[in-house]
């Protein structure tokens, strides 16, 4: 018997073989063939159909269901996008919108106080975030050196952006310098067919500010500096502070041999390093580190400068009593003297300096052998002896006082080319740069030492304590001849065409400034200036202003530099004499020798005021000198100052005038945007001033008390009287207007 369906026998069922599915079939059965009217696949439904959970045909601009229901038809996707693709696109768009704000926030966090305030001012002025960041990167607001290293970037003058015509004279060597040609894209003037052929082309030092560089040698990265101080355990902070000291102070004063100091600090030895010296250095460097807020307020217990100074003074009381004195104690005394003088406490600084000279004399450091048979110790002592001598010479010359000692150390200064180890070297590297550069430390220090020797000699010959200065024409010519001989023998890296770093430029500033100072002494002695002397002054003034401007264009004025502060005040006072148009006399003949337009003079005055204001963020004496210069300016010049340096105060001046009836009321809050020091600080500022520092300003001819009237103590007492008198006047006026730049001026 056969079973049904077993596939065998006569009743076997036959199946027709399946044909291949037609191309394009949906695979959902016979009804889904090519001729069927199945639903069309869509990439994304409209928002209305998604809410209704209806089947949308995705027609644009309106789908059929929205047309039927009369609803608004909107799509959250592009025509070819799925919803997941649209979400990814929107996420990317949001990220691109958020990133600039994150970048702006990082700028506010990481930039200096001055730069952050400028960014905030632009935000409040309504600038969009992209333009602010673009300005920050392009160098219009800040200089950002994370861009191409060949980018030619410079700072802009605050009032008139071009060099004044009065200094663009054919015989001005600095207009043929590499730094000028690089800054202004001037054609090469050294016999080269193309700029790329000249020496210095592509050199980062001529393209970028000094403060953008990083010190590579000496290397502090592996040194446990915090073990030398009780103030902080933050080694990274201590390393940044020591680097700042190397940048801004060491080439100028050279109080100790850096290589010997670093090696002993790393190894823990105390021959060339001590806790006292380290704390003194950190106290000084606290005024140089731009990331530290309120670094100029040395009296504030919360500031690092106060804490390091307090620790150094504690250690000084111990070390200064030891016999014989240690070399590091003398070195610390030099550094503490510098800190005191820059904080307008030069009476304290002078005390440290006198004790340092006494200790050095006891150790016989000014003799040829420096009081020792050990060659290494002899070299270290000789270096410090020269540093002490030169710092004392600088102070006494600018204070118009007799020097502490008549003769320099007997140990001869070696040539930095044949004995570079005597001076040491600092090697720097710029962002994205490929090369390391020396700062030419040996050339800088030796040239400074030689100039200070000349200044010491001149001070000994010209100044007598408690007696007016008398200089003859013959003596003035002799002093100038010595300076000229020193200047023409400067080493190659310090020649006018090659200078670029701040310490290079300052050497030239001092040369021309000292010449003008000698002529001022000649005038104050009652000697009328003939045409020859007037030409000498004109020549020096043109070069001095050129150097001040080149310094700003390449490096700005924000980094710590007390010597720059001196020459900014010096030049600012000269410009005020020209603008005020004093009656003709032998004294102010200096102010009329260089023809200049009033606007170019004002541009220089505003630049000098800006420099003093920028320096005032670093140390206290600059705060005082800025006020002295500011309060001698006329109302229209103060308006320019407010407009071009403190623009945020311009928008608030009208509201200030209506809401304040006294200068004190206008200064009760933060005034960083307006250029004022907070009025709450004024009593403290006056309380701590102990300064016989001579402000580089003119006093009337024949005034027997002129020396006293140039001291900072006297000028500030007069300023305080003027403020009190004007406050009394303001109380009686019901409709007074307050100037946000100068609260005591109408």
């Amino acid at each position: 018997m056969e079973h049904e369906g077993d596939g065998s026998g006569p009743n076997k069922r036959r199946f027709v073989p399946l044909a291949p599915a037609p191309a394009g079939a949906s695979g959902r059965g016979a009804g889904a063939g090519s001729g069927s009217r199945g639903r069309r696949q869509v990439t994304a439904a409209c928002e209305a159909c998604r809410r209704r959970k209806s089947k949308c045909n995705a027609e644009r601009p309106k789908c059929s269901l929205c047309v039927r229901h009369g609803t608004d038809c909107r799509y959250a996707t592009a025509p070819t996008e799925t919803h997941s693709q649209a979400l990814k696109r929107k996420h990317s768009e949001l990220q691109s919108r958020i990133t600039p704000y994150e970048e702006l926030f990082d700028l506010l966090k990481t930039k200096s106080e001055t730069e952050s305030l400028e960014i905030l001012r632009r935000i409040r002025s309504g600038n969009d975030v992209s333009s602010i960041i673009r300005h920050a990167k392009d160098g219009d607001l800040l200089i950002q050196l994370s861009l191409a290293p060949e980018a030619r970037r410079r700072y802009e003058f605050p009032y008139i952006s071009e060099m004044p015509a009065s200094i663009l004279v054919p015989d001005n060597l600095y207009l043929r310098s590499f730094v000028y040609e690089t800054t202004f894209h001037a054609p090469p003037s050294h016999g080269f067919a193309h700029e790329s052929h000249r020496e210095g082309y592509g050199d980062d030092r001529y393209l970028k500010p000094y403060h953008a560089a990083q010190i590579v040698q000496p290397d502090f990265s592996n040194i446990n500096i915090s073990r030398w101080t009780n103030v902080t355990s933050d080694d990274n902070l201590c390393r940044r502070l020591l680097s700042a000291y190397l940048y801004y102070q060491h080439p100028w004063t050279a109080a100790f041999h850096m290589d010997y100091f670093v090696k002993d600090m790393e190894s823990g030895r105390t021959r060339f390093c001590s806790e006292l010296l380290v704390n003194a250095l950190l106290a000084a460097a606290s005024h140089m580190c731009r990331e530290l807020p309120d670094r100029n307020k040395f009296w504030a217990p919360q500031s690092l400068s106060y804490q390091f100074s307090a620790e150094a003074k504690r250690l000084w009381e111990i070390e200064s009593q030891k016999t014989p004195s240690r070399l590091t104690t003398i070195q610390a005394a030099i550094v503490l003297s510098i800190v005191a003088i820059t904080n307008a406490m030069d009476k304290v600084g002078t005390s440290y300096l006198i004790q340092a000279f006494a200790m050095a004399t006891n150790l016989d450091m000014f003799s040829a052998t420096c009081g020792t048979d050990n060659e290494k110790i002899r070299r270290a002592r000789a270096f410090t002896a020269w540093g002490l001598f030169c710092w004392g010479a600088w102070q006494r010359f600018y204070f118009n006082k007799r020097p502490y000692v008549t003769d320099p150390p007997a140990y001869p200064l070696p040539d930095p080319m044949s004995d570079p180890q005597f001076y040491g070297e600092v090697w720097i590297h710029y962002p994205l740069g490929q090369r390391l550069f020396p700062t030419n430390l040996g050339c800088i220090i030796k040239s400074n030492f030689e100039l200070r020797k000349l200044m010491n000699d001149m001070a000994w010959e010209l100044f007598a304590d408690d007696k007016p200065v008398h200089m003859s024409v013959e003596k003035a010519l002799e002093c100038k001849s010595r300076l000229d001989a020193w200047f023409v023998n400067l080493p190659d890296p310090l020649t006018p065409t090659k200078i670029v770093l701040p310490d290079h430029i300052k050497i030239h500033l001092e040369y021309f400034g000292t010449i003008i100072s000698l002529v001022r002494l000649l005038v104050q002695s009652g000697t009328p200036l003939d045409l020859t002397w007037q030409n000498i002054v004109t020549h020096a003034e043109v070069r001095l202003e050129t150097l001040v401007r080149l310094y700003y264009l390449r490096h700005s004025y924000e980094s710590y530099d007390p010597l720059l502060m001196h020459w900014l005040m010096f030049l600012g006072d000269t410009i005020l004499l020209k603008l005020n148009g004093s009656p003709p006399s032998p004294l102010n003949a200096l102010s009329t020798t260089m023809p200049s337009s009033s606007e170019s003079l004002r541009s220089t005055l505003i630049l000098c005021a800006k420099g003093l204001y920028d320096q005032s963020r670093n140390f206290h004496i600059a705060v005082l000198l800025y006020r002295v210069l500011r309060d001698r300016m006329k109302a229209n010049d103060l308006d320019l100052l407010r407009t071009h340096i403190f623009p945020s105060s311009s928008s608030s001046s009208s509201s200030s005038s209506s809401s304040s009836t006294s200068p004190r009321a206008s200064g009760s809050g933060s005034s960083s945007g307006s250029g004022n020091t907070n009025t709450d600080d004024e009593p403290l500022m006056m309380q701590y001033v102990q300064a016989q520092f001579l402000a580089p300003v003119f006093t009337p001819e024949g005034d027997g008390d002129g020396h006293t009237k140039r001291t900072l103590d006297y000028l500030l007492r007069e300023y305080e009287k003027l403020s009190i008198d004007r406050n009394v006047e303001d109380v009686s006026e019901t409709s007074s207007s307050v100037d946000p730049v100068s609260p005591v001026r109408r």
Side-chain angles (χ1 to χ4, degrees):
M1 183 176 182
E2 293 180 357
H3 298 280
E4 184 181 3
D6 62 358
S8 61
N11 296 325
K12 178 173 65 175
R13 179 179 297 177
R14 293 181 177 273
F15 295 98
V16 179
L18 289 174
S26 64
R28 297 176 67 178
S34 59
S36 67
R37 300 185 60 188
R39 183 169 65 88
R40 180 172 63 88
Q41 294 291 314
V42 297
T43 53
C46 70
E47 295 302 297
C49 288
R50 293 187 71 195
R51 287 194 298 270
R52 289 192 297 261
K53 298 184 179 179
S54 302
K55 293 182 179 180
C56 181
N57 65 357
E59 293 291 337
R60 298 185 185 229
K62 294 188 75 171
C63 71
S64 59
L65 285 179
C66 286
V67 172
R68 185 189 310 165
H69 293 292
T71 55
D72 187 21
C73 187
R74 295 180 182 275
Y75 290 88
T77 62
T80 59
E81 273 185 332
T82 64
H83 283 289
S84 62
Q85 291 170 338
L87 286 173
K88 291 178 181 178
R89 173 177 56 80
K90 291 178 180 179
H91 179 265
S92 298
E93 290 174 353
L94 288 173
Q95 282 295 109
S96 65
R97 292 173 60 186
I98 292 172
T99 300
Y101 290 96
E102 291 177 337
E103 191 171 353
L104 181 63
F105 182 72
D106 286 338
L107 286 174
L108 289 170
K109 279 198 309 183
T110 58
K111 294 303 169 187
S112 69
E113 184 180 359
T114 302
E115 295 166 334
S116 298
L117 287 172
E118 179 63 14
I119 292 173
L120 184 60
R121 184 192 67 78
R122 289 178 179 266
I123 293 173
R124 298 183 68 176
S125 299
N127 293 8
D128 63 277
V129 63
S130 59
S131 68
I132 294 173
I133 294 174
R134 185 175 65 254
H135 280 304
K137 288 184 175 180
D138 288 349
D140 185 20
L141 171 61
L142 314 169
I143 286 189
Q144 290 290 329
L145 293 170
S146 58
L147 304 178
E150 288 299 315
R152 304 275 178 101
R153 308 199 180 276
R154 63 180 174 95
Y155 289 87
E156 295 290 338
F157 294 133
Y159 177 33
I160 298 175
S161 60
E162 300 301 324
M163 286 282 205
S166 58
I167 65 177
L168 300 178
V169 294
D171 63 339
N172 189 346
L173 277 177
Y174 300 102
L175 302 184
R176 298 195 292 275
S177 65
F178 297 161
V179 66
Y180 178 85
E181 292 175 351
T182 304
T183 302
F184 285 98
H185 303 271
S189 57
H190 306 279
F192 300 105
H194 301 285
E195 183 186 11
S196 59
H197 296 164
R198 69 158 169 80
E199 183 181 354
Y201 175 77
D203 190 324
D204 283 340
R205 293 173 296 180
Y206 296 97
L207 298 169
K208 300 171 184 177
Y210 182 51
H211 60 75
Q214 297 177 338
I215 291 180
V216 178
Q217 288 290 340
D219 183 11
F220 301 119
S221 59
N222 296 319
I223 302 179
N224 181 11
I225 303 174
S226 63
R227 68 175 172 176
W228 294 90
T229 178
N230 294 324
V231 174
T232 180
S233 59
D234 188 342
D235 276 312
N236 287 327
L237 171 63
C238 293
R239 290 165 190 152
R240 292 197 300 273
L241 290 174
L242 276 186
S243 294
Y245 187 91
L246 262 187
Y247 267 111
Y248 305 119
Q249 187 68 63
H250 183 66
W252 180 36
T253 50
F256 56 95
H257 196 288
M258 179 59 71
D259 291 344
Y260 295 166
F261 167 77
V262 171
K263 289 177 182 177
D264 275 18
M265 182 170 55
E266 183 175 14
S267 65
R269 294 190 298 267
T270 58
R271 175 180 286 181
F272 302 117
C273 182
S274 69
E275 291 184 5
L276 170 59
L277 179 56
V278 170
N279 280 276
L281 291 174
L282 295 176
S286 297
H287 295 283
M288 307 169 197
C289 195
R290 292 168 64 178
E291 66 191 70
L292 298 181
D294 295 330
R295 56 191 176 276
N296 62 346
K297 297 180 180 178
F298 66 94
W299 61 83
Q302 70 274 15
S303 68
L304 278 177
S305 60
Y306 179 95
Q307 295 173 32
F308 283 122
S309 293
E311 179 67 4
K313 290 173 184 175
R314 182 186 70 82
L315 293 167
W316 169 263
E317 294 300 324
I318 299 171
E319 295 293 328
S320 62
Q321 303 302 317
K322 293 182 178 179
T323 304
S325 301
R326 296 181 57 194
L327 178 62
T328 53
T329 305
I330 299 171
Q331 295 165 344
I334 300 172
V335 177
L336 291 173
S337 171
I338 296 168
V339 174
I341 289 176
T342 55
N343 285 327
M345 299 181 68
D346 54 66
K347 293 179 182 177
V348 177
T350 299
S351 173
Y352 282 119
L353 209 52
I354 291 172
Q355 293 180 74
F357 272 104
M359 294 176 186
T361 302
N362 290 336
L363 291 178
D364 198 23
M365 286 173 52
F366 286 89
S367 68
T369 62
C370 299
T372 180
D373 295 328
N374 184 296
E375 181 61 23
K376 185 175 182 179
I377 295 177
R378 179 182 301 158
R379 287 166 66 88
R381 286 187 175 186
F383 190 88
T384 296
W386 272 101
L388 174 61
F389 169 82
C390 292
W391 176 237
W394 183 92
Q395 186 209 50
R396 303 303 279 182
F397 183 84
Y398 287 116
F399 284 28
N400 290 181
K401 300 282 189 181
R402 273 283 177 92
Y404 296 113
V405 295
T406 57
D407 299 317
Y411 190 98
L413 288 172
D415 184 346
M417 300 303 173
S418 59
D419 188 5
Q421 290 78 20
F422 182 80
Y423 304 97
E425 184 58 277
V426 174
W427 291 84
I428 57 176
H429 172 264
Y430 287 88
L432 299 183
Q434 304 300 317
R435 295 173 55 192
L436 298 181
F437 297 98
T439 61
N440 306 116
L441 186 63
C443 294
I444 294 170
I445 292 176
K446 185 173 187 290
S447 298
N448 268 325
F449 283 174
E450 292 171 341
L451 176 59
R452 303 289 177 251
K453 179 183 181 300
L454 291 178
M455 294 169 72
N456 196 80
D457 293 343
M458 290 186 288
W460 186 263
E461 296 164 6
L462 297 174
F463 307 135
D465 294 341
D466 302 322
K467 291 183 181 180
V469 177
H470 179 74
M471 173 183 277
S472 65
V473 173
E474 293 75 15
K475 177 57 68 177
L477 287 172
E478 180 189 340
C479 292
K480 183 180 182 302
S481 178
R482 292 186 222 166
L483 288 168
D484 291 343
W486 166 83
F487 185 73
V488 298
N489 288 304
L490 286 173
D492 184 65
L494 302 182
T495 53
T497 57
K498 294 185 178 181
I499 57 170
V500 59
L501 300 183
D503 287 300
H504 300 174
I505 297 173
K506 285 188 294 187
I507 287 174
H508 291 245
L509 277 173
E510 279 214 271
Y511 166 68
F512 293 108
T514 304
I515 287 176
I516 300 173
S517 298
L518 290 173
V519 180
R520 287 188 175 187
L521 292 174
L522 184 64
V523 170
Q524 288 172 341
S525 299
T527 303
L529 296 183
D530 59 19
L531 183 60
T532 300
W533 284 111
Q534 291 186 20
N535 288 337
I536 289 173
V537 171
T538 300
H539 181 276
E541 282 185 347
V542 167
R543 277 79 186 161
L544 183 73
E545 181 175 349
T546 305
L547 289 163
V548 165
R549 286 178 172 273
L550 287 177
Y551 187 115
Y552 177 77
L553 288 172
R554 179 47 52 218
H555 306 291
S556 86
Y557 291 154
E558 294 187 2
S559 297
Y560 171 98
D561 198 334
L563 190 61
L564 172 68
M565 172 207 70
H566 179 90
W567 296 117
L568 288 172
M569 185 68 193
F570 186 95
L571 180 59
D573 174 71
T574 303
I575 298 300
L576 278 175
L577 286 173
K578 296 170 188 273
L579 285 172
N580 292 341
S582 305
S585 74
L587 178 65
N588 60 43
L590 294 175
S591 68
T592 59
T593 54
M594 186 174 67
S596 302
S597 71
S598 59
E599 288 307 300
S600 65
L601 290 174
R602 286 191 175 91
S603 73
T604 305
L605 179 62
I606 298 304
L607 183 64
C608 291
K610 172 178 172 52
L612 290 172
Y613 178 76
D614 289 344
Q615 288 297 309
S616 73
R617 297 179 179 275
N618 300 316
F619 47 91
H620 191 52
I621 196 170
V623 177
L624 310 180
L625 287 181
Y626 165 70
R627 288 190 172 217
V628 169
L629 183 69
R630 182 197 67 186
D631 290 305
R632 295 171 62 209
M633 293 167 65
K634 293 182 178 179
N636 57 336
D637 297 329
L638 286 171
D639 287 339
L640 287 174
L641 186 68
R642 178 173 62 243
T643 301
H644 294 281
I645 301 182
F646 317 115
S648 60
S649 66
S650 300
S651 60
S652 61
S653 59
S654 58
S655 60
S656 298
S657 62
S658 61
S659 61
S660 304
T661 59
S662 71
R664 186 162 295 279
S666 70
S668 59
S670 174
S671 56
S672 56
S674 66
N676 286 338
T677 305
N678 193 320
T679 52
D680 291 339
D681 293 343
E682 286 185 5
L684 288 173
M685 183 170 62
M686 303 304 295
Q687 174 185 351
Y688 287 105
V689 172
Q690 301 180 48
Q692 293 302 305
F693 171 82
L694 292 183
V697 298
F698 271 145
T699 52
E701 180 193 5
D703 188 344
D705 203 25
H707 185 280
T708 301
K709 290 182 178 179
R710 288 175 57 204
T711 63
L712 205 51
D713 264 346
Y714 177 86
L715 290 171
L716 291 170
R717 285 198 303 272
E718 292 300 303
Y719 166 80
E720 198 171 35
K721 291 177 186 176
L722 183 64
S723 300
I724 293 171
D725 293 342
R726 288 182 175 174
N727 282 342
V728 172
E729 293 176 6
D730 290 336
V731 170
S732 64
E733 296 182 4
T734 58
S735 59
S736 63
S737 64
V738 178
D739 186 339
V741 175
S742 178
V744 298
R745 284 188 175 270
R746 311 307 324 144

